[in-house]
Amino acid sequence: MLLRHTPDEIKERKSLTVNPAKTCQPIGAMYAALGIHGCLPHSHGSQGCYAYHRSTLTRHYKEPVMAATSSFTEGASVFGGQSNLLQAIDNIFTIYKPDIIAVHTTCLSETIGDDLPQIIGKAQVTGKIPEGKFVIHANTPSYVGTHVTGFANMTRAMVDYFAESNGHKTEQINIIPGWVEPSDMHEIKRIAAELEVPVVMFPDTENVLNGPQTGKYEMFPKGGVTIDELISTGSSQGTIALGGLASGSAAKALDTKCKVPCEILDLPIGIKATDRFVDALRKMAGVNVPDTITIERGQLLDIITDMQAYFYHKKVALVGDPDQLISLTEFLVSIDMMPIHILTGTRDKNFEKRIKKITADIPHEVNIASGKDMMLFHQWVKNDPVDLLMGNTYVKYIARDEDIPFIRFGFPILDRVGHSYFPTVCYRGGIRILEKILEALMDRIDRDSTEIAFDLVM
Amino acid sequence: MRSIQILKERKRQIYHKGEEAFEIECEKKSLAGSVSQRACVFCGSRVVLYPIADALHLIHGPIGCASYTWDIRGALSSGPQLHRMSFSTDLQEKDIIFGGEKKLYQALVKLIELYHPNAAFVYATCIIGIIGDDIDSVCRRVAEKKGIPVLPVHSEGFKGTKKDGYKAACEALAQLVGTGSIENRGKYSLNIMGEFNIAGEAWTIKKYYEKMGLEVSAIFTGDGRVDKIKRSHGVKLNVVQCSGSMLHLAKIMEEKYNIPYIRVSYFGIEDMSKALYDVADFFKDNLQIMKKTRELVREEIKAISPEIKKYKKILSGKRAAIYVGGAFKAFSMIKALRTLGMEVVLAGSQTGNEDDYKLLRDMCEDGTVIVDDANPLELSKYCLEKKVDLFVGGVKERPMAYKLGIGFCDHNHERKISLAGYNGMINFAKEVFSSVTSPVWQFAPRKRGGYKA
């Protein structure tokens, strides 16, 4: 019933978004900031913003999500939020004692024109920031970009505030993982460890948002990149940024600030993109790819071979964030599926260009859009149905209305548990995606087959 | 136990029963920098109006506020589902500079043409209060053009607390109330207020009243319909639950239409029965109503008693912490947990007022910690100190309780199980029982003397 409110006929809508395929910048900044060890993200705005961000992140990761707020009042909105932020900084260091506060703005504080560097400077001068503690900031107006932009901006702030060149380059390589799950960050670090390449990953939410049950409530869990590590990124021999939109800006900033050369790659989702990542890492570090990785790649290839007969020209509709979708589309095309509707809520010209190129040889019309909403996505599916849907939690409505198999992929996933423990990146993540796809397709065949046809033969 | 620091400004928001009594400070803005569990004005308005299923809910602002509140509550509708869509004007930078009125107007007109709703609510978010869009005038123009009520909701996030959002919602509703016909309205009619039909709870309550021989005119706002709200001023009584959210509207209706109201709670055997008896008592000129009520209560209690006893046997002596939005809910919760033989050792709320906390203090045993607008550090500290077995709270508290190795029951929106009424008490008992006695806790480090990494 829910999405039966979607009409088939597509009409241009300029002033209206229905069922968004995006959300606002600050939540991305909050997620990125949680990837710094001992960091309390701080929302400089009304109380509701951070309550929503914390709730959404909590519902996705099923972990306590900590953040503070400037609790704007009417007064603050008229006279500026300086006194709120100063008081907040003071209170936070007194009660919660983080190593660092990462402040992001909101539409409210941006519009009234609060100057964060000036306020943070004032906090420094007036002794509100204890010795050895830090306050950093990112500007994340909600009316510009999307949650991905917010993630990118806060990641870049880590470079702007901390990266320092010590003059001589270390062996270390920086990896900026993009907005992926903690399990993905772990997987990327594991691959680097297999190659024996020392890396600094930032942000890094492993062990922050997929922590163990300890019987204790840790406001600041064990994981996260440390400030010393962030400082050292300026002396690394290179940076690999995964996902241009989420990680590109920080990588370029490192290059400009500390002359650390960077390679901006696609997220390593699927065999081709993972090959490019491993290859870039190998070249940058000057190491050989060990057998263990070759075997993993071979296993992925083996599984694709076992499954390929079932993938042939199956139509798929994808909705999500640009970095994820570029790699995922490439992966699906490489296993002979046909992604025919690909939509992101984040406006990005490069996205449309890349997807167009990747899908150029598909023998079917392909719908591609950036900066659009789930209503349009649903309309596409209505007008040209598919065999499989992939996207975040909200796609479940479309899946039910159109009776199409559905795999949860991306952010947020609110109605399932476990996604933050299994990677979808690199070779092993590829195997997991394939297992999910085949299961969804086969379950559907089983469900729909007659009693006579229902059997064990694939 | 590791000690935590509590700011002196917050010291009077935490009270240990048994200590010398003082008035708990409450209804203050959270301190800047606090990790409060509270939300904003918009959130208050949005949750109250959300269940009105045949109305259009358009959020005027940047995308976030619409994204985070898309299908946010399990408020069920028996018919239209328009309320579960997410509509936003999705303001961009140029709209912030040049104003969003034009966009709002176009969006409204387009949506009304597409969905033919019976009314439209337009929610103002923070930014609208800053850029100064005149949403009242846009709403008026669209209402004239389209011939349906278009109601501005002044819910700019920074203009107060969640409670102010409830008030803004009530004021929008008050514009609808009284605009429809009240012909044929019976002598024994009432409105159910402050019941949002999470997991179908309003339907349960409505059935009770109907069994008592009463006519339910409108439900505010569970499974809500515009037309019923318009005609809701013909009743003899408003029955208000969740007093924080709907009391304001009940007061407006009392003043304007001379409709008295009573406050009730539908949670737990004790309060549920009291609610029905109080309502029956109001209509005491009709002896049949009280008679039917007695029968209803007797039958319902008889039906659930054996099962409750079964749970009570095992849950007796277990300790619970509750942290709720409105304090009124806490009172019923304490009684319901006592029905199960459990003891409440920590009770807190986001938005309780002075009277609430006085009552809470009187209800609780010595040693109970009572806290206003708590942060997670405080909550976790007291949970461990008081050796809590169960935490009753909302979405942000669940993972914290689990990390500590404590059972959890959601009493907010994040559930599919009805907790209201007599059957709801069984559901509640079952949920508490399954969580508290889950075999997972045998592995929990807390029970095994601490986790060693």
Side-chain angles (χ1 to χ4, degrees):
Chain A
M1 185 70 195
L2 174 55
L3 287 173
R4 307 258 159 90
H5 290 291
T6 303
D8 297 2
E9 196 194 342
I10 299 171
K11 284 185 184 161
E12 177 71 20
R13 283 177 285 122
K14 272 210 182 106
S15 50
L16 172 66
T17 293
V18 182
N19 298 344
K22 61 172 179 181
T23 183
C24 63
Q25 280 209 53
I27 195 172
M30 188 181 284
Y31 180 57
L34 287 165
I36 305 175
H37 179 71
C39 177
L40 190 68
H42 181 90
S43 165
H44 188 50
S46 300
Q47 217 163 13
C49 306
Y50 100 128
Y52 282 133
H53 306 146
R54 286 179 61 205
S55 287
T56 305
L57 291 171
T58 300
R59 292 171 83 198
H60 178 91
Y61 293 102
K62 319 289 179 204
E63 291 283 314
V65 171
M66 288 308 123
T69 170
S70 291
S71 298
F72 265 51
T73 54
E74 193 125 36
S77 313
V78 178
F79 304 113
Q82 170 165 303
S83 68
N84 284 54
L85 187 52
L86 289 176
Q87 194 199 354
I89 290 171
D90 201 14
N91 285 342
I92 289 169
F93 282 124
T94 309
I95 318 171
Y96 306 114
K97 303 184 176 65
D99 297 335
I100 166 174
I101 303 170
V103 185
H104 61 261
T105 56
T106 57
C107 45
L108 181 54
S109 55
E110 283 288 337
T111 310
I112 61 175
D114 276 353
D115 180 355
L116 287 202
Q118 177 263 321
I119 300 175
I120 293 170
K122 184 150 185 187
Q124 194 89 55
V125 174
T126 52
K128 288 192 163 52
I129 306 174
E131 185 73 30
K133 307 261 179 173
F134 302 89
V135 178
I136 67 170
H137 91 283
N139 290 96
T140 52
S142 322
Y143 44 77
V144 176
T146 66
H147 56 292
V148 184
T149 326
F151 181 91
N153 287 343
M154 184 52 84
T155 306
R156 189 205 155 108
M158 297 174 199
V159 172
D160 291 343
Y161 271 90
F162 293 118
E164 253 174 47
S165 174
N166 67 1
H168 47 89
K169 300 286 177 201
T170 63
E171 293 286 292
Q172 164 182 292
I173 287 174
N174 306 319
I175 298 184
I176 311 175
W179 186 330
V180 290
E181 299 281 335
S183 49
D184 293 321
M185 299 188 184
H186 173 82
E187 181 65 6
I188 292 165
K189 285 187 286 185
R190 188 186 66 81
I191 296 273
E194 290 284 345
L195 267 73
E196 296 180 12
V197 179
V199 297
V200 169
M201 177 174 281
F202 71 95
D204 182 0
T205 56
E206 186 191 1
N207 244 321
V208 178
L209 290 169
N210 62 350
Q213 196 196 100
T214 57
K216 274 186 292 187
Y217 166 71
E218 305 273 2
M219 191 145 185
F220 306 107
K222 284 209 167 66
V225 63
T226 63
I227 288 161
D228 284 343
E229 286 170 330
L230 280 174
I231 293 169
S232 78
T233 56
S235 310
S236 297
Q237 59 163 318
T239 302
I240 292 183
L242 301 172
L245 213 57
S247 306
S249 161
K252 284 180 208 152
L254 253 174
D255 192 356
T256 313
K257 188 178 174 188
C258 303
K259 303 283 169 287
V260 179
C262 67
E263 281 226 37
I264 300 171
L265 305 175
D266 294 327
L267 278 178
I269 295 170
I271 194 160
K272 286 184 175 177
T274 306
D275 284 350
R276 292 197 293 272
F277 165 59
V278 172
D279 200 44
L281 194 57
R282 171 186 73 82
K283 278 188 192 146
M284 197 176 270
V287 295
N288 291 321
V289 177
D291 284 350
T292 49
I293 297 295
T294 315
I295 290 170
E296 277 177 34
R297 185 183 191 278
Q299 286 170 329
L300 173 58
L301 191 56
D302 194 63
I303 293 219
I304 297 175
T305 320
D306 292 339
M307 293 179 171
Q308 46 83 24
Y310 311 102
F311 294 150
Y312 173 72
H313 279 196
K314 287 279 184 293
K315 292 192 274 182
V316 194
L318 308 172
V319 58
D321 298 331
D323 291 342
Q324 270 81 359
L325 290 189
I326 287 172
S327 303
L328 184 62
T329 304
E330 184 190 55
F331 188 31
L332 297 184
V333 170
S334 78
I335 60 170
D336 223 0
M337 296 183 89
M338 298 200 300
I340 58 163
H341 306 306
I342 306 134
L343 180 142
T344 178
T346 303
R347 195 166 293 130
D348 179 19
K349 281 213 178 85
N350 177 53
F351 170 82
E352 297 183 34
K353 233 171 34 203
R354 286 289 311 277
I355 298 282
K356 209 168 174 181
K357 214 169 148 197
I358 293 167
T359 56
D361 292 332
I362 289 183
H364 195 284
E365 197 188 329
V366 179
N367 285 315
I368 304 164
S370 81
K372 298 292 182 186
D373 57 25
M374 290 246 196
M375 181 168 177
L376 177 64
F377 181 71
H378 190 183
Q379 289 174 318
W380 283 351
V381 173
K382 268 182 185 299
N383 290 317
D384 189 356
V386 293
D387 302 296
L388 182 69
L389 293 165
M390 292 179 84
N392 69 22
T393 278
Y394 294 101
V395 177
K396 80 188 275 184
Y397 303 124
I398 302 174
R400 183 175 167 120
D401 270 1
E402 306 302 330
D403 194 23
I404 295 170
F406 162 46
I407 295 172
R408 284 167 182 75
F409 180 87
F411 178 89
I413 296 173
L414 308 174
D415 60 340
R416 291 294 184 271
V417 186
H419 45 84
S420 45
Y421 291 87
F422 298 98
T424 54
V425 298
C426 298
Y427 301 120
R428 284 190 178 168
I431 292 176
R432 179 158 177 267
I433 293 175
L434 294 181
E435 188 198 13
K436 282 191 163 232
I437 293 177
L438 191 71
E439 191 149 306
L441 296 176
M442 288 293 161
D443 279 352
R444 181 54 56 114
I445 290 172
D446 282 346
R447 191 199 79 175
D448 292 348
S449 63
T450 60
E451 277 194 30
I452 298 167
F454 183 78
D455 61 16
L456 303 176
V457 178
M458 276 179 87
Chain B
M1 178 66 216
R2 193 170 49 126
S3 71
I4 58 164
Q5 198 133 3
I6 291 158
L7 280 183
K8 70 171 190 301
E9 290 90 334
R10 265 198 62 71
K11 283 204 170 132
R12 294 185 70 84
Q13 284 174 278
I14 303 171
Y15 170 75
H16 297 253
K17 175 79 188 276
E19 283 177 358
E20 195 184 331
F22 59 85
E23 263 175 29
I24 290 191
E25 280 184 357
C26 49
E27 296 187 281
K28 347 196 275 186
K29 280 292 287 187
S30 303
L31 283 172
S34 55
V35 181
S36 154
Q37 310 290 74
R38 282 180 178 171
C40 65
V41 182
F42 166 72
C43 178
S45 295
R46 183 80 173 110
V47 293
V48 165
L49 297 174
Y50 172 84
I52 303 171
D54 61 344
L56 179 77
H57 301 267
L58 174 61
I59 295 158
H60 187 36
I63 196 67
C65 301
S67 286
Y68 304 120
T69 56
W70 178 6
D71 204 18
I72 200 179
R73 319 183 74 177
L76 306 186
S77 161
S78 54
Q81 305 284 339
L82 193 58
H83 65 305
R84 299 177 61 195
M85 302 276 282
S86 174
F87 302 115
S88 169
T89 47
D90 193 358
L91 295 186
Q92 301 296 307
E93 193 156 23
K94 65 174 194 318
D95 304 317
I96 306 303
I97 298 165
F98 300 113
E101 287 178 25
K102 207 172 136 198
K103 216 172 174 184
L104 175 62
Y105 180 86
Q106 286 168 346
L108 269 172
V109 169
K110 190 158 249 176
L111 282 169
I112 293 168
E113 282 168 2
L114 189 59
Y115 292 114
H116 312 289
N118 293 326
F121 293 100
V122 177
Y123 301 78
T125 58
C126 284
I127 202 93
I128 305 309
I130 301 295
I131 63 175
D133 276 2
D134 184 356
I135 66 165
D136 289 14
S137 106
V138 175
C139 289
R140 247 190 331 267
R141 271 159 49 215
V142 177
E144 266 166 38
K145 186 180 160 106
K146 291 288 157 195
I148 63 161
V150 181
L151 306 159
V153 185
H154 289 283
S155 53
E156 292 90 341
F158 59 86
K159 283 193 172 164
T161 64
K162 198 167 167 183
K163 269 189 177 173
D164 298 291
Y166 297 152
K167 211 169 158 191
C170 286
E171 266 150 29
L173 284 171
Q175 292 185 47
L176 273 183
V177 172
T179 58
S181 156
I182 48 173
E183 240 177 284
N184 305 325
R185 185 63 78 218
K187 212 175 144 191
Y188 302 105
S189 57
L190 56 83
N191 293 319
I192 298 175
M193 299 181 103
E195 171 48 65
F196 302 101
N197 206 31
I198 308 292
E201 289 175 336
W203 296 330
T204 306
I205 304 304
K206 185 168 180 237
K207 245 179 238 155
Y208 292 154
Y209 287 134
E210 283 168 358
K211 273 190 185 165
M212 287 158 59
L214 296 166
E215 178 195 342
V216 174
S217 172
I219 303 172
F220 291 85
T221 52
D223 198 11
R225 297 292 182 279
V226 172
D227 186 51
K228 288 194 170 171
I229 292 168
K230 284 178 170 175
R231 298 189 288 117
S232 62
H233 57 301
V235 298
K236 300 289 176 258
L237 178 67
N238 278 327
V239 186
V240 191
Q241 197 199 212
C242 189
S243 55
S245 65
M246 279 288 157
L247 206 56
H248 187 61
L249 182 63
K251 283 179 180 162
I252 294 175
M253 287 175 77
E254 183 177 48
E255 202 168 291
K256 216 164 160 187
Y257 306 105
N258 249 331
I259 305 170
Y261 66 86
I262 56 170
R263 292 170 69 173
V264 300
S265 163
Y266 301 125
F267 181 70
I269 298 173
E270 223 174 295
D271 283 355
M272 181 67 241
S273 305
K274 184 171 186 307
L276 299 182
Y277 284 135
D278 285 355
V279 170
D281 194 48
F282 178 85
F283 295 105
K284 60 181 164 233
D285 61 316
N286 184 339
L287 293 173
Q288 278 304 310
I289 291 175
M290 185 53 94
K291 190 170 159 256
K292 282 184 195 159
T293 307
R294 286 209 183 95
E295 276 165 28
L296 170 77
V297 172
R298 198 181 315 123
E299 269 170 40
E300 293 283 345
I301 292 182
K302 203 174 133 197
I304 64 167
S305 284
E307 216 174 327
I308 294 288
K309 270 189 200 137
K310 197 181 80 188
Y311 291 122
K312 185 175 175 177
K313 221 168 136 186
I314 293 158
L315 291 173
S316 260
K318 302 273 187 207
R319 302 151 79 91
I322 58 182
Y323 190 72
V324 293
F328 207 67
K329 215 190 267 173
F331 308 141
S332 299
M333 189 82 59
I334 291 173
K335 290 184 215 163
L337 287 163
R338 279 186 188 154
T339 305
L340 298 175
M342 293 178 73
E343 189 190 337
V344 173
V345 292
L346 166 64
S349 92
Q350 293 172 29
T351 57
N353 64 30
E354 213 179 291
D355 291 343
D356 294 334
Y357 284 114
K358 261 190 202 136
L359 187 55
L360 207 52
R361 199 166 60 198
D362 293 342
M363 278 180 82
C364 289
E365 306 284 334
D366 274 1
T368 306
V369 179
I370 297 170
V371 52
D372 177 60
D373 190 19
N375 68 44
L377 278 185
E378 293 161 4
L379 291 176
S380 69
K381 170 189 148 85
Y382 295 125
C383 277
L384 291 181
E385 261 180 26
K386 299 283 171 190
K387 298 196 168 51
V388 162
D389 300 291
L390 174 79
F391 196 106
V392 186
V395 56
K396 292 194 288 290
E397 287 85 48
R398 182 194 295 266
M400 185 202 80
Y402 286 165
K403 276 279 182 257
L404 296 173
I406 294 172
F408 185 84
C409 172
D410 192 296
H411 200 274
N412 206 7
H413 330 284
E414 199 82 343
R415 60 190 163 87
K416 285 196 152 329
I417 300 164
S418 159
L419 299 179
Y422 299 98
N423 208 44
M425 185 62 200
I426 290 285
N427 294 339
F428 178 67
K430 219 181 273 178
E431 199 175 332
V432 168
F433 176 81
S434 75
S435 195
V436 168
T437 63
S438 168
V440 72
W441 308 130
Q442 72 182 306
F443 307 111
R446 185 166 77 104
K447 295 276 160 83
R448 298 166 56 196
Y451 175 83
K452 306 211 170 35

